[in-house]
PDB file of all heavy atoms in Angstrom:
ATOM      1  N   GLY A 233     148.443 -53.493 -27.330  1.00 80.00           N
ATOM      2  CA  GLY A 233     147.453 -52.907 -28.112  1.00 80.00           C
ATOM      3  C   GLY A 233     147.629 -52.783 -29.620  1.00 80.00           C
ATOM      4  O   GLY A 233     147.195 -51.902 -30.318  1.00 80.00           O
ATOM      5  N   LEU A 234     148.187 -53.814 -30.181  1.00 80.00           N
ATOM      6  CA  LEU A 234     148.514 -53.876 -31.601  1.00 80.00           C
ATOM      7  C   LEU A 234     147.411 -54.774 -32.216  1.00 80.00           C
ATOM      8  O   LEU A 234     146.601 -55.425 -31.554  1.00 80.00           O
ATOM      9  CB  LEU A 234     149.806 -54.599 -31.822  1.00 80.00           C
ATOM     10  CG  LEU A 234     151.136 -53.827 -31.295  1.00 80.00           C
ATOM     11  CD1 LEU A 234     152.317 -54.609 -31.500  1.00 80.00           C
ATOM     12  CD2 LEU A 234     151.198 -52.471 -31.884  1.00 80.00           C
ATOM     13  N   GLY A 235     147.371 -54.706 -33.620  1.00 71.00           N
ATOM     14  CA  GLY A 235     146.442 -55.399 -34.379  1.00 71.00           C
ATOM     15  C   GLY A 235     146.864 -56.765 -34.749  1.00 71.00           C
ATOM     16  O   GLY A 235     148.074 -57.086 -34.563  1.00 71.00           O
ATOM     17  N   SER A 236     146.056 -57.578 -35.368  1.00 62.00           N
ATOM     18  CA  SER A 236     146.448 -58.965 -35.709  1.00 62.00           C
ATOM     19  C   SER A 236     147.632 -58.999 -36.788  1.00 62.00           C
ATOM     20  O   SER A 236     148.388 -59.922 -36.732  1.00 62.00           O
ATOM     21  CB  SER A 236     145.268 -59.687 -36.345  1.00 62.00           C
ATOM     22  OG  SER A 236     144.245 -59.855 -35.374  1.00 62.00           O
ATOM     23  N   PRO A 237     147.787 -58.010 -37.643  1.00 67.00           N
ATOM     24  CA  PRO A 237     148.907 -58.018 -38.503  1.00 67.00           C
ATOM     25  C   PRO A 237     150.283 -58.066 -37.821  1.00 67.00           C
ATOM     26  O   PRO A 237     151.377 -58.568 -38.389  1.00 67.00           O
ATOM     27  CB  PRO A 237     148.816 -56.782 -39.374  1.00 67.00           C
ATOM     28  CG  PRO A 237     147.398 -56.428 -39.426  1.00 67.00           C
ATOM     29  CD  PRO A 237     146.887 -56.932 -38.040  1.00 67.00           C
ATOM     30  N   ALA A 238     150.356 -57.635 -36.549  1.00 71.00           N
ATOM     31  CA  ALA A 238     151.565 -57.577 -35.881  1.00 71.00           C
ATOM     32  C   ALA A 238     152.032 -59.085 -35.551  1.00 71.00           C
ATOM     33  O   ALA A 238     153.341 -59.231 -35.579  1.00 71.00           O
ATOM     34  CB  ALA A 238     151.400 -56.820 -34.502  1.00 71.00           C
ATOM     35  N   VAL A 239     151.225 -59.907 -35.396  1.00 68.00           N
ATOM     36  CA  VAL A 239     151.568 -61.337 -35.227  1.00 68.00           C
ATOM     37  C   VAL A 239     152.188 -61.832 -36.470  1.00 68.00           C
ATOM     38  O   VAL A 239     153.269 -62.552 -36.448  1.00 68.00           O
ATOM     39  CB  VAL A 239     150.329 -62.164 -34.797  1.00 68.00           C
ATOM     40  CG1 VAL A 239     150.803 -63.650 -34.603  1.00 68.00           C
ATOM     41  CG2 VAL A 239     149.684 -61.648 -33.631  1.00 68.00           C
ATOM     42  N   GLY A 240     151.550 -61.514 -37.629  1.00 65.00           N
ATOM     43  CA  GLY A 240     152.200 -61.942 -38.920  1.00 65.00           C
ATOM     44  C   GLY A 240     153.497 -61.348 -39.136  1.00 65.00           C
ATOM     45  O   GLY A 240     154.420 -61.993 -39.633  1.00 65.00           O
ATOM     46  N   MET A 241     153.648 -60.076 -38.897  1.00 72.00           N
ATOM     47  CA  MET A 241     155.015 -59.418 -39.066  1.00 72.00           C
ATOM     48  C   MET A 241     156.018 -59.991 -38.195  1.00 72.00           C
ATOM     49  O   MET A 241     157.222 -60.141 -38.546  1.00 72.00           O
ATOM     50  CB  MET A 241     154.848 -57.913 -38.865  1.00 72.00           C
ATOM     51  CG  MET A 241     153.982 -57.209 -39.837  1.00 72.00           C
ATOM     52  SD  MET A 241     154.414 -57.488 -41.496  1.00 72.00           S
ATOM     53  CE  MET A 241     155.988 -56.664 -41.560  1.00 72.00           C
ATOM     54  N   LEU A 242     155.684 -60.390 -36.974  1.00 75.00           N
ATOM     55  CA  LEU A 242     156.633 -60.977 -35.991  1.00 75.00           C
ATOM     56  C   LEU A 242     157.072 -62.346 -36.553  1.00 75.00           C
ATOM     57  O   LEU A 242     158.125 -62.787 -36.378  1.00 75.00           O
ATOM     58  CB  LEU A 242     156.013 -61.057 -34.603  1.00 75.00           C
ATOM     59  CG  LEU A 242     156.917 -61.509 -33.543  1.00 75.00           C
ATOM     60  CD1 LEU A 242     158.130 -60.526 -33.312  1.00 75.00           C
ATOM     61  CD2 LEU A 242     156.190 -61.659 -32.173  1.00 75.00           C
ATOM     62  N   ALA A 243     156.085 -63.095 -37.118  1.00 69.00           N
ATOM     63  CA  ALA A 243     156.399 -64.386 -37.636  1.00 69.00           C
ATOM     64  C   ALA A 243     157.454 -64.299 -38.765  1.00 69.00           C
ATOM     65  O   ALA A 243     158.069 -65.293 -39.067  1.00 69.00           O
ATOM     66  CB  ALA A 243     155.145 -65.002 -38.189  1.00 69.00           C
ATOM     67  N   LEU A 244     157.400 -63.211 -39.622  1.00 71.00           N
ATOM     68  CA  LEU A 244     158.368 -63.066 -40.691  1.00 71.00           C
ATOM     69  C   LEU A 244     159.767 -63.133 -40.222  1.00 71.00           C
ATOM     70  O   LEU A 244     160.623 -63.488 -40.949  1.00 71.00           O
ATOM     71  CB  LEU A 244     158.082 -61.853 -41.480  1.00 71.00           C
ATOM     72  CG  LEU A 244     156.874 -61.827 -42.355  1.00 71.00           C
ATOM     73  CD1 LEU A 244     156.776 -60.489 -43.091  1.00 71.00           C
ATOM     74  CD2 LEU A 244     156.929 -62.912 -43.331  1.00 71.00           C
ATOM     75  N   VAL A 245     160.100 -62.758 -38.915  1.00 74.00           N
ATOM     76  CA  VAL A 245     161.406 -62.842 -38.417  1.00 74.00           C
ATOM     77  C   VAL A 245     161.940 -64.316 -38.452  1.00 74.00           C
ATOM     78  O   VAL A 245     163.207 -64.498 -38.695  1.00 74.00           O
ATOM     79  CB  VAL A 245     161.465 -62.332 -36.950  1.00 74.00           C
ATOM     80  CG1 VAL A 245     162.829 -62.453 -36.359  1.00 74.00           C
ATOM     81  CG2 VAL A 245     161.021 -60.835 -36.940  1.00 74.00           C
ATOM     82  N   GLY A 246     161.104 -65.235 -38.438  1.00 69.00           N
ATOM     83  CA  GLY A 246     161.498 -66.633 -38.360  1.00 69.00           C
ATOM     84  C   GLY A 246     161.895 -67.098 -39.722  1.00 69.00           C
ATOM     85  O   GLY A 246     162.195 -68.337 -39.887  1.00 69.00           O
ATOM     86  N   ALA A 247     161.825 -66.326 -40.709  1.00 71.00           N
ATOM     87  CA  ALA A 247     162.328 -66.651 -42.128  1.00 71.00           C
ATOM     88  C   ALA A 247     163.764 -67.087 -42.085  1.00 71.00           C
ATOM     89  O   ALA A 247     164.203 -67.889 -43.023  1.00 71.00           O
ATOM     90  CB  ALA A 247     162.138 -65.537 -43.099  1.00 71.00           C
ATOM     91  N   ALA A 248     164.554 -66.719 -41.072  1.00 70.00           N
ATOM     92  CA  ALA A 248     165.853 -67.157 -40.995  1.00 70.00           C
ATOM     93  C   ALA A 248     166.020 -68.594 -40.819  1.00 70.00           C
ATOM     94  O   ALA A 248     167.033 -69.286 -41.223  1.00 70.00           O
ATOM     95  CB  ALA A 248     166.560 -66.499 -39.819  1.00 70.00           C
ATOM     96  N   THR A 249     164.950 -69.286 -40.335  1.00 72.00           N
ATOM     97  CA  THR A 249     165.029 -70.822 -40.200  1.00 72.00           C
ATOM     98  C   THR A 249     165.033 -71.514 -41.564  1.00 72.00           C
ATOM     99  O   THR A 249     165.582 -72.590 -41.749  1.00 72.00           O
ATOM    100  CB  THR A 249     163.840 -71.297 -39.511  1.00 72.00           C
ATOM    101  OG1 THR A 249     162.552 -70.853 -40.129  1.00 72.00           O
ATOM    102  CG2 THR A 249     163.717 -70.736 -38.011  1.00 72.00           C
ATOM    103  N   MET A 250     164.549 -70.833 -42.650  1.00 71.00           N
ATOM    104  CA  MET A 250     164.653 -71.445 -43.937  1.00 71.00           C
ATOM    105  C   MET A 250     166.107 -71.528 -44.378  1.00 71.00           C
ATOM    106  O   MET A 250     166.365 -72.429 -45.262  1.00 71.00           O
ATOM    107  CB  MET A 250     163.939 -70.622 -44.925  1.00 71.00           C
ATOM    108  CG  MET A 250     162.433 -70.542 -44.685  1.00 71.00           C
ATOM    109  SD  MET A 250     161.410 -69.489 -45.767  1.00 71.00           S
ATOM    110  CE  MET A 250     161.602 -70.416 -47.344  1.00 71.00           C
ATOM    111  N   LEU A 251     166.978 -70.642 -43.962  1.00 71.00           N
ATOM    112  CA  LEU A 251     168.386 -70.699 -44.277  1.00 71.00           C
ATOM    113  C   LEU A 251     169.153 -71.606 -43.332  1.00 71.00           C
ATOM    114  O   LEU A 251     170.137 -72.238 -43.703  1.00 71.00           O
ATOM    115  CB  LEU A 251     168.942 -69.267 -44.231  1.00 71.00           C
ATOM    116  CG  LEU A 251     168.317 -68.272 -45.201  1.00 71.00           C
ATOM    117  CD1 LEU A 251     168.928 -66.828 -44.931  1.00 71.00           C
ATOM    118  CD2 LEU A 251     168.439 -68.689 -46.564  1.00 71.00           C
ATOM    119  N   CYS A 252     168.728 -71.690 -42.044  1.00 75.00           N
ATOM    120  CA  CYS A 252     169.469 -72.396 -41.030  1.00 75.00           C
ATOM    121  C   CYS A 252     169.190 -73.833 -41.069  1.00 75.00           C
ATOM    122  O   CYS A 252     170.045 -74.761 -40.657  1.00 75.00           O
ATOM    123  CB  CYS A 252     169.172 -71.832 -39.700  1.00 75.00           C
ATOM    124  SG  CYS A 252     169.748 -70.153 -39.443  1.00 75.00           S
ATOM    125  N   THR A 253     167.979 -74.261 -41.574  1.00 70.00           N
ATOM    126  CA  THR A 253     167.663 -75.688 -41.584  1.00 70.00           C
ATOM    127  C   THR A 253     168.690 -76.538 -42.325  1.00 70.00           C
ATOM    128  O   THR A 253     169.142 -77.594 -41.941  1.00 70.00           O
ATOM    129  CB  THR A 253     166.322 -75.940 -42.068  1.00 70.00           C
ATOM    130  OG1 THR A 253     165.319 -75.130 -41.236  1.00 70.00           O
ATOM    131  CG2 THR A 253     165.871 -77.387 -42.111  1.00 70.00           C
ATOM    132  N   PRO A 254     169.102 -76.097 -43.601  1.00 70.00           N
ATOM    133  CA  PRO A 254     170.159 -76.906 -44.327  1.00 70.00           C
ATOM    134  C   PRO A 254     171.443 -76.941 -43.522  1.00 70.00           C
ATOM    135  O   PRO A 254     172.170 -77.962 -43.603  1.00 70.00           O
ATOM    136  CB  PRO A 254     170.301 -76.123 -45.598  1.00 70.00           C
ATOM    137  CG  PRO A 254     168.952 -75.418 -45.837  1.00 70.00           C
ATOM    138  CD  PRO A 254     168.524 -74.987 -44.429  1.00 70.00           C
ATOM    139  N   LEU A 255     171.824 -75.949 -42.827  1.00 74.00           N
ATOM    140  CA  LEU A 255     172.976 -75.909 -42.025  1.00 74.00           C
ATOM    141  C   LEU A 255     172.914 -76.953 -40.894  1.00 74.00           C
ATOM    142  O   LEU A 255     173.845 -77.661 -40.645  1.00 74.00           O
ATOM    143  CB  LEU A 255     173.285 -74.474 -41.445  1.00 74.00           C
ATOM    144  CG  LEU A 255     173.524 -73.355 -42.494  1.00 74.00           C
ATOM    145  CD1 LEU A 255     173.718 -72.129 -41.757  1.00 74.00           C
ATOM    146  CD2 LEU A 255     174.706 -73.787 -43.360  1.00 74.00           C
ATOM    147  N   ALA A 256     171.809 -76.995 -40.239  1.00 76.00           N
ATOM    148  CA  ALA A 256     171.512 -78.019 -39.192  1.00 76.00           C
ATOM    149  C   ALA A 256     171.562 -79.425 -39.767  1.00 76.00           C
ATOM    150  O   ALA A 256     172.143 -80.293 -39.160  1.00 76.00           O
ATOM    151  CB  ALA A 256     170.180 -77.759 -38.582  1.00 76.00           C
ATOM    152  N   GLY A 257     171.087 -79.551 -40.981  1.00 72.00           N
ATOM    153  CA  GLY A 257     171.186 -80.981 -41.681  1.00 72.00           C
ATOM    154  C   GLY A 257     172.704 -81.292 -41.900  1.00 72.00           C
ATOM    155  O   GLY A 257     173.036 -82.487 -41.647  1.00 72.00           O
TER     156      GLY A 257
END
Side-chain angles (χ1 to χ4, degrees):
L234 300 174
S236 294
V239 183
M241 295 304 296
L242 189 61
L244 286 180
V245 176
T249 58
M250 297 177 67
L251 303 175
C252 294
T253 302
L255 298 177

